Amino acid sequence: MYTEKRAKTQLNTSVNETVHTENISLNRQVYQRLKLALSLGLRRQILFAICDDLNSRNRIAARLHSTLAYPVEKVLYQRANAGELMTPAYPRLVTLRLNVNDPNPIAQINQWLANYPPPIVGESTNNPGRPLPIPAFQIVGVEMLTKEPVAVQRLFLNYLRLGEQQLFGQESSRFLESSLLFWVSRPWLSAIQQSAPKFWHCRTGVFVFAGEPTPTVDNRGHGEGFADSHRSERENSQDLGFDEEKISQEIKHTNKPDFPGTANADLITQIPEKSPIESPQVNNNQNLPSLSHINQELQNLVKATLNTDDNGQTQQILWEIEQLHIQQAKGEELAIAYQNLGNFYRLQIEQGQPTLENLMIAILAYQEAVSHDESSPQLPDILNDLGTLYWMLHRIPEDKEEAKIYIQQGIDFYKLALKLITGDSQPETYARIQNNLGTAYGDLARFAEAVENWNFAVVAYHEAIRYRQEEIEPLKYAACQNNLGTAYWHLGQYNEPVENLTKAIAAYKLAAVHYQPTDEPLKYGMIQNNIGTAYWNLSQYEQPMENLQLAIQVYREALKYRTAVDVPHAYAATQNNLGIAYWHLGNQPQTTKEDQEKLIKLCINAYQEAVNTAHLFSNLNLSFDLWMTHNNLGLAHYHLVTDISFNGDKKLLSQHLESALENHLQALSGFGKQTENYQTTISHIVSIIRTFHNELGIQGQSLGLSKLPGHLLPDILPKL
């Protein structure tokens, strides 16, 4: 049972579920996220919008309806013959007022679908066509139950409890083919959490709007500003994403070699020339002129991004679009103008400004371009751009569910683009989109169904490689082989490790052929690091001596090009990897004591380089756990003088013990006191102090204790 206290805690657990209590700008951000969640057209979403101010609720819900109910979506449906495709006016979002006489939202939705079943589009003599998607539904009027008897209120909550079984049982209702949004006040949210906890648990997003509570007024006989849910009008479609070189950060592995992710190549279309329309002189400080034909939301987003260094280009593009609308220009001309706007903001994104506003404007502009010219030869490229914009969008929210939705939407657009072309007709575009699709599947694997999505990534990369001509596009071919190797490496972490890691190494080596160290030193070093990590992983399953030696060999080759000067974060990561490989090789049963001592010393040198570089460049975005590396370095120093036949004098022994202690203390500063790592490190420190005493007597113990911070003594002394 959900209590009110628990509900408040959960509302602060994600970006979607952050309570916004103050200004309008925060409400705008919440609205943008809610609109995106609805516009994605995903199945099995149960969303809650929390708003105590009924006037604000009515405005926001009406805006959602007018924006999302009737977008132009003709491009989403395949057609065998352009003249035979019909797209009837059918909403993507339906607004229903809860029937307080029988407050069963599921029954209301099913009744609506029975009255207005999805029409069939693309039907012809040889094609049965397909139904349009089931719309999303937003339910308003829950607050009116407050004026009803307690029995009616309980009936509503009971319907939700029954609905949970109905929605996720074998006999699921049709409306879960899309999304369901409940508008509720905070008191009703608390009631749902406590009385229908399973239904609440099934939620996929909570959006909290600021506003003071307003009295509940029975205005069922008066309009609320909602459009008729089956009216033949349409707004521009709102959602939908570009392509960039996606070089992901190196993946963290505690106590394992660090591993770089995919490198996705390709930038797409150049910005088309603007239409030859005579435009006014627009200065940077001028407000946007009256643009009655352009979607208001797009205008508002553009206004929020205007600055003084774009020479008025944005205003000029918008003015040109407005003039084309006034002149009732052809769809092709309008599409080019909107694509210009999208390309302008895509350029800002490419230049390092991937803000939510810039991404949204590019998305809206490209979607407008699609809606005005669905037969454009650039349509696959635009859809590819839309897919990548959504792929980029997933990196903004902290909420995993929200990020997952954006990645899935990007995948949907990549797949849609691939339906419009073949590898034989447009090999370059087809390969680029397949490559991007593979990268998106790889990112989706971080959130759900890792094995399945990495398998999808492998299939997509193989398709891309089929149409990447090695002789003509060697670097793009190499990037795709690197991506394929990464996908196989990840699969090897879940099943069939020997087979998948062997395939990963083979793909990496094919990529390395085309990254000449003289021309592409950083990418060559990255590939060598990848190969080394795959060999290290393979050594855990077969031929450990041979594979560890191969890993060390290629790590050392990588370090020739991943230097501390050019790429300090990559240099530190590879040194950390090299230290791990030396450690494992030094502790193989076949390794002699003499070789073990040499390898542990090399391990210490590599770890020391990694931590020195990390501390020298304090702003590095490290891809490995620096504190674990300090711990590993401390263990290596300790191992050298205790587990190996150490022949050094007492001074050298003391130096190694002091170094071990210093590194464990460094590690301790990075661990929370209640964590397992903290307690393990305390145990290491206790062992070192004991060894000081055993090897160097009371004087040695005093030396060790003198290096401990005073606040640690109560933890250490009782354990000696």
Side-chain angles (χ1 to χ4, degrees):
M1 183 67 67
Y2 283 80
T3 64
E4 184 175 356
K5 181 178 180 182
R6 182 177 178 185
K8 289 180 180 178
T9 301
Q10 289 184 344
L11 284 173
N12 286 289
T13 58
S14 72
V15 172
N16 272 356
E17 300 178 341
T18 299
V19 179
H20 301 284
T21 58
E22 296 185 354
N23 59 50
I24 295 175
S25 64
L26 290 177
N27 271 357
R28 288 189 184 128
Q29 294 178 26
V30 178
Y31 170 80
Q32 292 292 342
R33 292 172 183 153
L34 174 56
K35 187 193 69 176
L36 282 173
L38 285 171
S39 64
L40 297 181
L42 298 183
R43 301 167 62 243
R44 301 187 182 279
Q45 287 197 104
I46 296 179
L47 311 171
F48 285 86
I50 317 303
C51 187
D52 288 328
D53 184 339
L54 293 182
N55 292 325
S56 294
R57 191 284 311 273
N58 292 342
R59 287 195 301 270
I60 297 167
R63 184 180 179 191
L64 279 172
H65 184 98
S66 64
T67 301
L68 299 178
Y70 294 95
V72 178
E73 290 288 337
K74 289 187 287 186
V75 68
L76 295 180
Y77 308 106
Q78 284 285 84
R79 61 183 187 275
N81 186 308
E84 295 174 349
L85 176 64
M86 295 180 61
T87 308
Y90 191 71
R92 283 183 58 195
L93 176 66
V94 175
T95 302
L96 297 177
R97 176 175 289 284
L98 185 68
N99 178 8
V100 294
N101 296 318
D102 183 19
N104 186 345
I106 298 172
Q108 283 187 252
I109 290 169
N110 287 335
Q111 184 60 53
W112 191 96
L113 289 171
N115 294 336
Y116 304 104
I120 304 297
V121 296
E123 190 172 10
S124 66
T125 305
N126 301 319
N127 187 352
R130 69 181 68 184
L132 290 175
I134 293 174
F137 293 85
Q138 64 172 342
I139 306 296
V140 298
V142 174
E143 73 282 353
M144 301 309 304
L145 290 171
T146 305
K147 292 184 172 294
E148 298 298 323
V150 172
V152 175
Q153 298 178 25
R154 289 177 177 171
L155 183 61
F156 168 70
L157 295 169
N158 188 53
Y159 278 134
L160 294 187
R161 288 192 292 269
L162 293 174
E164 190 274 335
Q165 302 171 17
Q166 192 175 358
L167 301 181
F168 296 95
Q170 294 181 349
E171 301 291 332
S172 63
S173 296
R174 291 180 67 199
F175 86 84
L176 262 198
E177 294 301 312
S178 62
S179 300
L180 172 60
L181 169 65
F182 282 91
W183 284 94
V184 297
S185 60
R186 280 178 174 80
W188 272 103
L189 173 68
S190 179
I192 291 170
Q193 289 171 328
Q194 295 183 43
S195 299
K198 291 184 179 179
F199 189 90
W200 166 252
H201 182 70
C202 294
R203 74 196 186 282
T204 52
V206 176
F207 304 82
V208 184
F209 292 89
E212 294 299 320
T214 54
T216 302
V217 178
D218 190 343
N219 57 2
R220 281 170 277 176
H222 304 280
E224 287 191 320
F226 295 118
D228 182 351
S229 292
H230 203 64
R231 191 176 66 186
S232 292
E233 80 172 41
R234 65 190 186 187
E235 290 278 337
N236 67 304
S237 49
Q238 296 297 316
D239 52 306
L240 311 176
F242 102 63
D243 187 60
E244 64 162 3
E245 184 170 7
K246 305 172 187 169
I247 302 181
S248 63
Q249 298 298 318
E250 305 197 39
I251 300 168
K252 296 180 181 179
H253 289 283
T254 302
N255 279 336
K256 293 183 180 180
D258 170 70
F259 188 73
T262 61
N264 180 18
D266 305 336
L267 291 170
I268 76 156
T269 55
Q270 298 296 316
I271 297 176
E273 295 182 6
K274 300 186 179 75
S275 303
I277 299 178
E278 199 172 311
S279 60
Q281 295 299 314
V282 184
N283 62 60
N284 294 326
N285 298 319
Q286 181 177 336
N287 292 326
L288 287 177
S290 176
L291 304 170
S292 60
H293 293 80
I294 298 177
N295 176 267
Q296 186 62 47
E297 187 169 13
L298 180 57
Q299 293 185 51
N300 292 340
L301 283 167
V302 170
K303 286 179 183 178
T305 64
L306 290 179
N307 53 56
T308 57
D309 58 5
D310 69 356
N311 298 317
Q313 292 180 63
T314 312
Q315 297 99 314
Q316 181 173 325
I317 295 173
L318 287 175
W319 186 88
E320 291 174 359
I321 293 173
E322 179 72 10
Q323 294 306 304
L324 286 170
H325 277 294
I326 293 171
Q327 298 167 13
Q328 297 184 337
K330 294 180 180 179
E332 295 91 330
E333 296 178 8
L334 277 165
I336 292 173
Y338 275 111
Q339 192 175 357
N340 283 340
L341 180 63
N343 288 341
F344 179 84
Y345 278 91
R346 191 191 74 189
L347 183 61
Q348 311 306 309
I349 294 166
E350 290 176 357
Q351 292 176 345
Q353 301 177 50
T355 64
L356 177 62
E357 290 79 10
N358 285 346
L359 290 166
M360 282 295 299
I361 293 171
I363 287 170
L364 292 175
Y366 283 137
Q367 178 61 14
E368 284 282 356
V370 168
S371 71
H372 286 288
D373 185 9
E374 63 179 57
S375 60
S376 168
Q378 294 192 31
L379 185 58
D381 284 330
I382 296 174
L383 293 173
N384 177 57
D385 281 5
L386 286 168
T388 303
L389 284 166
Y390 267 103
W391 173 83
M392 297 187 72
L393 197 60
H394 96 271
R395 297 179 294 186
I396 293 179
E398 296 177 7
D399 181 64
K400 291 184 178 180
E401 284 301 315
E402 190 177 356
K404 177 180 163 185
I405 288 172
Y406 296 151
I407 295 176
Q408 185 60 64
Q409 182 68 0
I411 288 171
D412 289 344
F413 274 97
Y414 290 140
K415 291 166 74 173
L416 178 60
L418 290 170
K419 291 180 180 179
L420 304 179
I421 60 174
T422 66
D424 294 328
S425 63
Q426 298 185 46
E428 183 179 355
T429 302
Y430 181 85
R432 181 194 313 125
I433 298 171
Q434 288 284 8
N435 189 50
N436 293 348
L437 178 62
T439 299
Y441 272 127
D443 282 330
L444 185 59
R446 294 186 292 114
F447 298 96
E449 299 170 336
V451 174
E452 179 182 26
N453 285 313
W454 279 118
N455 274 313
F456 285 146
V458 165
V459 172
Y461 288 137
H462 272 298
E463 272 296 292
I465 289 169
R466 283 182 61 198
Y467 294 95
R468 280 259 160 95
Q469 300 184 52
E470 186 175 3
E471 300 79 10
I472 299 176
E473 300 177 305
L475 293 183
K476 290 182 179 180
Y477 174 86
C480 205
Q481 286 286 5
N482 175 61
N483 295 349
L484 178 61
T486 297
Y488 275 127
W489 182 89
H490 280 282
L491 280 177
Q493 311 309 302
Y494 297 97
N495 54 37
E496 299 179 343
V498 173
E499 178 182 352
N500 284 314
L501 291 170
T502 301
K503 289 180 178 178
I505 292 169
Y508 286 140
K509 287 184 175 180
L510 287 173
V513 170
H514 299 286
Y515 286 136
Q516 296 301 319
T518 53
D519 300 325
E520 299 280 350
L522 298 184
K523 290 182 179 178
Y524 176 80
M526 176 197 70
I527 293 288
Q528 295 300 323
N529 184 74
N530 291 0
I531 295 171
T533 300
Y535 274 128
W536 179 87
N537 277 116
L538 191 58
S539 74
Q540 311 302 300
Y541 302 98
E542 66 173 22
Q543 300 178 314
M545 293 290 290
E546 178 182 346
N547 285 318
L548 284 169
Q549 288 168 350
L550 288 170
I552 289 168
Q553 178 182 332
V554 290
Y555 280 144
R556 294 174 66 175
E557 177 70 9
L559 286 170
K560 295 178 183 178
Y561 306 96
R562 300 185 116 194
T563 66
V565 175
D566 295 327
V567 279
H569 68 284
Y571 172 81
T574 302
Q575 286 285 9
N576 181 63
N577 295 351
L578 183 60
I580 293 171
Y582 277 132
W583 172 267
H584 281 267
L585 185 59
N587 285 282
Q588 291 300 313
Q590 305 95 311
T591 304
T592 65
K593 288 292 183 182
E594 182 180 355
D595 287 340
Q596 187 180 24
E597 182 177 355
K598 293 178 182 177
L599 289 168
I600 298 303
K601 287 180 179 178
L602 290 170
C603 166
I604 289 172
N605 292 339
Y607 278 144
Q608 194 66 57
E609 278 294 307
V611 299
N612 287 348
T613 304
H615 288 296
L616 181 62
F617 299 91
S618 57
N619 61 339
L620 287 184
N621 184 18
L622 295 175
S623 56
F624 61 95
D625 190 328
L626 176 60
W627 314 116
M628 288 302 298
T629 301
H630 271 295
N631 248 352
N632 292 343
L633 180 53
L635 288 172
H637 277 292
Y638 184 76
H639 183 69
L640 185 63
V641 296
T642 56
D643 295 344
I644 301 175
S645 300
F646 182 70
N647 296 320
D649 57 22
K650 291 186 176 182
K651 180 179 179 181
L652 187 57
L653 182 145
S654 179
Q655 289 175 353
H656 281 294
L657 290 177
E658 289 177 55
S659 294
L661 185 58
E662 289 170 3
N663 277 284
H664 286 312
L665 289 173
Q666 279 270 24
L668 211 58
S669 67
F671 298 143
K673 193 167 184 178
Q674 304 305 318
T675 63
E676 183 180 349
N677 285 336
Y678 185 94
Q679 298 305 321
T680 300
T681 306
I682 288 290
S683 299
H684 294 329
I685 292 172
V686 170
S687 296
I688 292 171
I689 299 299
R690 286 174 178 165
T691 304
F692 263 117
H693 178 269
N694 294 339
E695 298 293 334
L696 302 173
I698 294 296
Q699 185 177 1
Q701 178 176 288
S702 299
L703 174 62
L705 290 173
S706 70
K707 294 184 175 294
L708 297 181
H711 70 273
L712 285 182
L713 292 176
D715 292 332
I716 301 297
L717 292 178
K719 298 178 181 180
L720 292 176

